[in-house]
Amino acid sequence: MIGITAYGAHIPRYRLERKRIAQAMSWINLATLGLAAGEKAVANVDEDAVTLAVAAARNALTTAPDLSPTQLFVASTTLPYLERQNSAIAAAALNLAPETETADVTGSFRSGTTALIQALRSLENGGSGGALIAAADARTAKPGSAEEHVAADAGAAVAVGTEDLLAVFRGALSLTADFPDRMRDCSQRFSRTWEERWIRDEGYLKIIPRALAAFFEKQGTDAQAYQKIAYPCPFPREHAAIAKALNIDPQRVVDPLTAAVGDTGSAHPLLLLVHALEQAEPGDNLLVVGFGSGVDVLHFQATDRIRDRRPALPLSRQIERKALLSNYEKALAFRNVLPVETGLRGEFQAESPRSVMWRHRSTIFGLVGSRCRHCGTPQYPPQRVCAVPDCNAVDAMDPYPFASRTGRIVSYTADHLAFSYDPPQIYGIVDFDGGGRMMLDFTDCSLEDLQVGMAVSLAFRRKYLDKERGIHVYFWKAVPTVS
Amino acid sequence: MAIGIKDKVAIIGMGCTRFGERWDAAAEDLILEAFMEAMEDAGIERREIDAAWLGTCFDEVNVGKSGIPLSQTLKLPNLPVTRVENFCATGTEAFRGACYAVAAGASRIALAVGVEKLKDTGYGGLPGFDTAMGVFQHFTLPNFTAPGAFALLATRYFAKYGIDPEEGKRALAKISSKSHRAGALNPRAHLRKPVTPEQVLKAPIIAWPLGLFDCCGVSDGAAAAIVTTPEIARSLRKDPVFVKALQIAATSGEEMLTTSWDGSYLKTTTEAAARAYAEAGIKNPRDELSILEVHDCFSITELVTYEDLGISPRGRAILDVNEGLFDLEGKIPCQSDGGLKCFGHPIGASGIRMIYEVVKQLQHKAGERQIPNPTLGLTHNLGGIPSFSVCSVSIFGL
């Protein structure tokens, strides 16, 4: 048997109330006033599709810490790089073995389910020892568009394998359709959509029911056979109409999270799958649908283990744990839609030498330090000469990974002089449980939250973006455990 | 224990420009200005100088690398001229080179010049550090500034001693206000306006808990010192000032690579001070020192330095501040020239500027801010940030 071995999601901390978008932009398009309810999740300025994918994958690994997948897929339509494999960056952050097969899957919002199907097929053929699929999008929409109200940011991850299954794979079906509802070529910043009525009526309302009906026929079942059915559709009325067309009991439809999170693009189908798995009981049959240039349908059945291995940070908690973005313009500045004055400190960027990045890849991206075999002291960055004065042993170090360790704040500040897109820049010194110390940027927190001694965990984030040279540099930041 | 250079080197000439926004002056103009004053003070001919050291930190926006900008500006005749850099402790490093040359007998009369042209950087505050700590750290160190890195010292100091941040900020405000009072008396100081502790507290926050007036001036300036052997010095003037100790300590990395340091003090200052007292033969610095010039890049640095130098007991410096121990009229005046806070901080020049003030005080030439009968003065010149520092402590006497 093959199936799901781990799952988890990452919803960014910030929410933008849609009424703020309407307050700022409805003057240009009064029709968007009707969309101005609820909130959408927006990525922090240091998050992008790669970091969202890594965060979701790390959260998934809390349900199966010993998992060592042989394949990693990153699925997204907003990957930071066209050239330089984004999944290779994620693999480095996740400290996966160099033998890991990696691939970026992109081009449509069903890239996540497509990657999942590919991974399952590979398992079926004995071609993989287990795969991790992380889908994420950090979406950018044109100010004043309807899309701007809908588009949201998140990551979701699922691991598949052959042992310790949380849900068994029961079948899948894909339909390909070059339905041109939305498109964006390599030179474009924003997606262009066609008339909304056409997208709803000819797209969601026809193609998803057609695929589900085909799947039911293939499996010899009907909607009643599935306890949880998850499918994306950002239009609430049409989302309900799809269930009605297929005679699905509304109780069995997984909440599409439109009001509280928004449509997270490539991440959305797996996000809804995670949502369903978190609530699933043993024996439940789950359907998940991906939509974009066609449809993917996947069927899983929860095992007895599903109850024992829930993610450390479930989706419901992540939805509650939020901070409202204080203004709309900040959301635009975060995604570089609104040019803002950065001053010299924001303008000047030294070159990021790639040879240094490569030589220290495990230190920078994997956050691997060293631990002295003589005195046992963990040290970051890795040293050749032990820094403990009474020891000073030379070349007696073992690699020591820090990324999963928790720590305590030794000191902190909120700096208004340092350049930040979300000032003040907060940083400090952290001591790690078990030893080791770092000076780190802090993220997803405010000065008022902080106390000396407070617990922190680590997050893989973008450290800086060199816009002139198109270099996205990633590193780790401390996230205070704010109660 | 190293032998040290106590009483082996004497200062015969000091020069220091007005610090500030010297828009009309190039670094070369500032070098010449400080040099000419030092030469006049020493009363020697230019050809008597046989070696020179130049201290500059930000070479990219200054005179460039190498010792040539100094030799070329002063037309030194193919002398050995060396450029040194040790973050904000650069000035003392240049001075150390000159002193060691004399102490070693390699040089009869040596020159040290420190200069920085910070106002050509375009920044308020120091330019970004970026790769200043190496290309690897560029990928890993936070996006920090100097005020932020020193704010970490304040947060930790307050937490360690259970001081409410507002109460702590009031003590820091007194330190800054004290230096502003002294700076107002100094015609060469960059900032010459007295400010009250209340004004300090009301200033905008730069890096919490430090506000604008907790930070030192960012200035252009240069300072110069001419040193020689005790014998030559005595032949040239009746009041040469002797180097009693000159120590420098650079971090081994222990502060950040282990968890032994608690983040509330400067390990390098503590080390350099202990060595300097041993070299100078000082048993009780609180009783024996007459005047301090410390590296008050931020008010918290000055507070912590009182303790690191062994003047105030650990955790008790605020009491001494409140009692006025370090005021111009106090028992051990600190920053009688306004300090980095008000005289300003042209990085390469600062260490020598501190020596300038101590020498002038010891020679009773400090004008309006002269303190009565000083015998021993200390300079403390700090580079880097508390977790990653290089510190020099020097002691001077007649």
Side-chain angles (χ1 to χ4, degrees):
Chain A
M1 280 196 299
I2 61 171
I4 293 171
T5 53
Y7 63 91
H10 172 73
I11 310 267
R13 170 175 175 257
Y14 277 128
R15 300 290 181 281
L16 181 61
E17 295 169 292
R18 292 192 177 96
K19 68 181 181 202
R20 299 218 178 267
I21 306 174
Q23 278 162 3
M25 292 308 303
S26 61
W27 57 271
I28 203 159
N29 186 356
L30 283 176
T32 59
L33 279 172
L35 299 168
E39 301 162 2
K40 64 172 199 166
V42 293
N44 205 337
V45 66
D46 58 1
E47 293 183 293
D48 63 16
V50 166
T51 72
L52 292 168
V54 168
R58 294 181 78 223
N59 204 8
L61 292 174
T62 63
T63 63
D66 299 327
L67 213 63
S68 47
T70 66
Q71 294 180 320
L72 173 70
F73 297 96
V74 170
S76 174
T77 62
T78 52
L79 292 167
Y81 284 106
L82 273 176
E83 214 176 312
R84 182 185 178 189
Q85 199 187 42
N86 300 277
S87 47
I89 302 171
L94 295 166
N95 261 319
L96 299 183
E99 294 76 18
T100 308
E101 296 167 6
T102 53
D104 294 347
V105 184
T106 183
S108 89
F109 285 171
R110 72 178 164 109
S111 55
T113 47
T114 301
L116 183 53
I117 290 174
Q118 297 295 324
L120 289 161
R121 298 294 181 223
S122 179
L123 272 177
E124 277 176 339
N125 301 332
S128 132
L132 181 57
I133 301 95
D137 260 330
R139 298 178 61 188
T140 307
K142 202 177 262 181
S145 64
E147 171 132 335
E148 191 184 23
H149 291 257
V150 174
D153 310 331
V158 173
V160 294
T162 54
E163 284 167 28
D164 290 336
L165 303 183
L166 306 179
V168 177
F169 175 59
R170 296 291 187 204
L173 174 142
S174 293
L175 286 183
T176 296
D178 182 25
F179 182 67
D181 55 341
R182 47 187 306 112
M183 53 176 76
R184 168 165 52 96
D185 80 3
C186 292
S187 67
Q188 283 172 320
R189 187 80 210 275
F190 304 108
S191 302
R192 278 174 59 81
T193 54
W194 202 249
E195 189 192 353
E196 193 179 297
R197 293 178 60 83
W198 173 78
I199 295 171
R200 284 182 293 175
D201 294 350
E202 289 297 301
Y204 285 98
L205 275 178
K206 276 198 180 149
I207 303 177
I208 290 180
R210 190 190 304 153
L212 281 172
F215 185 72
F216 294 154
E217 195 183 325
K218 179 184 166 191
Q219 302 290 90
T221 57
D222 61 19
Q224 273 60 44
Y226 306 93
Q227 281 73 32
K228 296 184 189 307
I229 303 179
Y231 54 89
C233 176
F235 313 105
R237 203 176 311 158
E238 283 67 27
H239 190 270
I242 291 170
K244 205 167 175 196
L246 289 162
N247 219 3
I248 302 171
D249 174 0
Q251 301 287 332
R252 297 182 173 213
V253 175
V254 176
D255 174 6
L257 305 174
T258 310
V261 176
D263 182 351
T264 64
S266 291
H268 217 61
L270 297 194
L271 193 70
L272 299 183
L273 174 60
V274 168
H275 196 30
L277 285 165
E278 283 182 356
Q279 298 159 25
E281 293 299 324
D284 278 0
N285 286 286
L286 282 57
L287 273 190
V288 60
V289 174
F291 178 85
S293 299
V295 181
D296 292 320
V297 183
L298 293 100
H299 172 199
F300 296 97
Q301 188 174 18
T303 69
D304 291 345
R305 286 195 183 82
I306 192 93
R307 272 203 196 121
D308 311 330
R309 297 228 304 259
R310 306 287 192 192
L313 203 54
L315 211 49
S316 53
R317 280 244 321 273
Q318 295 193 49
I319 291 171
E320 287 163 18
R321 196 195 58 161
K322 65 180 177 186
L324 291 178
L325 203 57
S326 52
N327 63 60
Y328 166 75
E329 292 80 357
K330 216 171 184 178
L332 297 188
F334 278 12
R335 299 274 80 81
N336 202 19
V337 174
L338 182 72
V340 293
E341 174 59 49
T342 62
L344 285 184
R345 282 189 183 77
E347 262 171 36
F348 179 75
Q349 192 78 66
E351 180 58 275
S352 310
R354 320 257 183 101
S355 49
V356 177
M357 211 190 273
W358 168 247
R359 184 162 60 243
H360 299 284
R361 59 196 177 279
S362 127
T363 309
I364 298 169
F365 302 118
L367 204 70
V368 178
S370 63
R371 184 171 176 272
C372 178
R373 275 197 293 279
H374 285 246
C375 70
T377 307
Q379 299 165 42
Y380 186 90
Q383 300 295 304
R384 289 189 63 188
V385 181
C386 176
V388 175
D390 296 340
C391 179
N392 288 161
V394 179
D395 286 336
M397 294 277 180
D398 293 321
Y400 186 84
F402 277 94
S404 302
R405 299 193 171 267
T406 50
R408 301 265 161 198
I409 297 175
V410 175
S411 192
Y412 61 91
T413 185
D415 187 338
H416 294 264
L417 186 63
F419 171 70
S420 167
Y421 278 101
D422 194 10
Q425 179 81 13
I426 299 178
Y427 51 88
I429 297 173
V430 171
D431 275 359
F432 288 90
D433 302 331
R437 170 176 285 180
M438 290 179 207
M439 185 168 162
L440 290 162
D441 281 317
F442 290 8
T443 191
D444 288 358
C445 64
S446 341
L447 173 65
E448 298 70 38
D449 299 331
L450 304 179
Q451 292 270 316
V452 167
M454 180 177 267
V456 302
S457 54
L458 291 166
F460 184 73
R461 294 292 171 96
R462 190 173 62 210
K463 186 176 183 331
Y464 60 87
L465 170 58
D466 181 343
K467 285 177 192 161
E468 283 295 303
R469 306 179 184 96
I471 303 176
H472 306 243
V473 174
Y474 299 94
F475 189 57
W476 295 81
K477 297 186 180 184
V479 181
T481 313
V482 176
S483 54
Chain B
M1 181 69 206
I3 303 160
I5 61 165
K6 185 185 180 187
D7 291 332
K8 291 179 181 168
V9 180
I11 298 168
I12 49 169
M14 293 299 306
C16 185
T17 68
R18 182 172 63 78
F19 284 8
E21 293 175 330
R22 301 285 306 264
W23 303 115
D24 290 340
E28 289 82 352
D29 299 319
L30 298 169
I31 288 174
L32 186 63
E33 192 178 323
F35 174 73
M36 292 306 282
E37 186 192 349
M39 288 295 285
E40 197 188 330
D41 188 27
I44 58 166
E45 299 288 319
R46 184 188 309 230
R47 60 182 163 72
E48 293 181 74
I49 293 170
D50 53 27
W53 274 260
L54 169 65
T56 63
C57 186
F58 285 93
D59 52 73
E60 298 82 354
V61 288
N62 206 318
V63 288
K65 293 184 194 293
S66 91
I68 295 171
L70 181 65
S71 59
Q72 191 162 281
T73 301
L74 301 181
K75 309 297 180 293
L76 301 175
N78 303 314
L79 296 186
V81 180
T82 305
R83 180 215 171 200
V84 293
E85 185 280 317
N86 226 339
F87 285 146
C88 296
T90 293
T92 307
E93 193 61 67
F95 181 76
R96 190 167 74 115
C99 288
Y100 277 16
V102 168
S107 189
R108 289 180 78 247
I109 299 182
L111 168 72
V113 177
V115 65
E116 210 78 34
K117 186 71 196 142
L118 286 180
K119 298 313 295 182
D120 280 351
T121 65
Y123 288 82
L126 296 180
F129 290 102
D130 231 341
T131 53
M133 293 187 180
V135 280
F136 166 73
Q137 268 82 358
H138 179 59
F139 293 103
T140 58
L141 278 180
N143 179 18
F144 74 94
T145 65
F150 281 87
L152 297 178
L153 186 64
T155 302
R156 188 63 191 175
Y157 184 92
F158 295 161
K160 179 179 174 183
Y161 296 110
I163 300 163
D164 177 75
E166 292 309 314
E167 183 198 335
K169 273 178 71 66
R170 274 196 296 278
L172 297 181
K174 283 186 188 158
I175 292 174
S176 295
S177 176
K178 174 251 324 153
S179 296
H180 270 272
R181 221 153 50 80
L185 300 175
N186 182 354
R188 297 191 189 186
H190 182 173
L191 306 170
R192 300 204 57 205
K193 217 172 100 181
V195 298
T196 63
E198 291 68 36
Q199 284 173 297
V200 176
L201 288 170
K202 278 186 198 147
I205 290 290
I206 300 295
W208 190 90
L210 304 179
L212 180 65
F213 286 124
D214 290 300
C215 307
C216 71
V218 174
S219 327
D220 299 330
I226 298 168
V227 294
T228 186
T229 64
E231 296 72 31
I232 298 172
R234 286 199 189 93
S235 75
L236 285 169
R237 62 188 302 156
K238 62 176 183 0
D239 57 355
V241 170
F242 291 87
V243 179
K244 303 290 180 183
L246 206 175
Q247 291 291 334
I248 187 157
T251 178
S252 70
E254 193 188 348
E255 289 94 325
M256 285 306 292
L257 290 167
T258 76
T259 52
S260 60
W261 174 63
D262 76 7
S264 72
Y265 67 100
L266 270 293
K267 211 175 165 65
T268 54
T269 301
T270 311
E271 292 285 331
R275 291 209 294 260
Y277 295 149
E279 184 177 9
I282 290 175
K283 300 278 183 299
N284 187 341
R286 191 179 171 112
D287 290 338
E288 295 175 54
L289 292 171
S290 335
I291 182 166
L292 307 176
E293 277 292 329
V294 304
H295 196 93
D296 58 332
C297 48
F298 303 96
S299 53
I300 183 65
T301 325
E302 182 166 337
L303 182 82
V304 164
T305 302
Y306 296 148
E307 297 177 14
D308 291 341
L309 293 176
I311 310 288
S312 301
R314 289 274 173 218
R316 308 293 292 272
I318 288 180
L319 297 179
D320 286 337
V321 169
N322 288 340
E323 283 171 13
L325 185 74
F326 306 106
D327 291 358
L328 202 50
E329 308 76 23
K331 184 165 168 290
I332 316 173
C334 185
Q335 319 306 72
S336 54
D337 60 354
L340 276 71
K341 169 77 263 255
C342 292
F343 205 137
H345 184 27
I347 303 178
S350 281
I352 300 176
R353 184 274 302 159
M354 297 173 185
I355 301 169
Y356 179 90
E357 175 66 8
V358 166
V359 167
K360 293 296 166 191
Q361 288 282 0
L362 290 170
Q363 293 174 335
H364 289 264
K365 289 178 179 167
E368 267 193 276
R369 57 185 194 281
Q370 180 64 49
I371 62 163
N373 305 315
T375 54
L376 277 180
L378 177 148
T379 67
H380 159 261
N381 191 194
L382 180 68
I385 59 176
S387 55
F388 184 87
S389 65
V390 49
C391 178
S392 63
V393 174
S394 311
I395 295 166
F396 304 92
L398 290 166

